Amino acid sequence: MRLQDHLSETWEPDAPHLSTHVVTTDATVAGTEVIETVHQGLTARELLPDEHDVDAGYITAAHIVTVRDDYGVELVGPGGLDTCHENHKGEHFTQSAFTID
């Protein structure tokens, strides 16, 4: 069996970087599947950050909203590649059809 660790650590410029939480899973488990477990663990240990910087494997639009609403944490990371949304008329809009104002 292959395992992977999902690590959370402090990231202050003038302080040591410390691991604050570790979740070990089977290697086939995606980061998006453990992000809730990570935040539950950080909450239990009273180590929840104001901003949680993650890589693309841990972030979805739903996670950004859920983490903000449930934990008061800003989840920050690169969004996935171009995604597609279908409206009620069956029209498709790719992510590149939108701009940030």
Side-chain angles (χ1 to χ4, degrees):
M1 171 185 274
R2 297 188 73 139
L3 301 175
Q4 69 176 335
D5 292 325
H6 306 271
L7 302 172
S8 295
E9 65 181 351
T10 60
W11 194 258
E12 297 296 327
D14 297 324
H17 295 200
L18 304 172
S19 293
T20 56
H21 192 70
V22 178
V23 175
T24 302
T25 64
D26 184 75
T28 60
V29 176
T32 54
E33 296 178 59
V34 298
I35 197 72
E36 176 69 18
T37 303
V38 168
H39 287 112
Q40 288 172 352
L42 289 168
T43 299
R45 299 178 70 204
E46 297 181 2
L47 295 171
L48 201 59
D50 293 329
E51 177 180 296
H52 193 175
D53 297 335
V54 296
D55 68 30
Y58 294 86
I59 197 163
T60 66
H63 286 118
I64 292 170
V65 173
T66 300
V67 170
R68 182 197 63 215
D69 292 349
D70 292 352
Y71 298 98
V73 172
E74 182 179 355
L75 190 61
V76 178
L81 298 176
D82 204 14
T83 56
C84 184
H85 173 74
E86 183 177 332
N87 70 12
H88 66 279
K89 295 179 184 178
E91 299 170 310
H92 293 274
F93 299 98
T94 63
Q95 187 175 355
S96 59
F98 300 90
T99 58
I100 297 174
D101 183 4

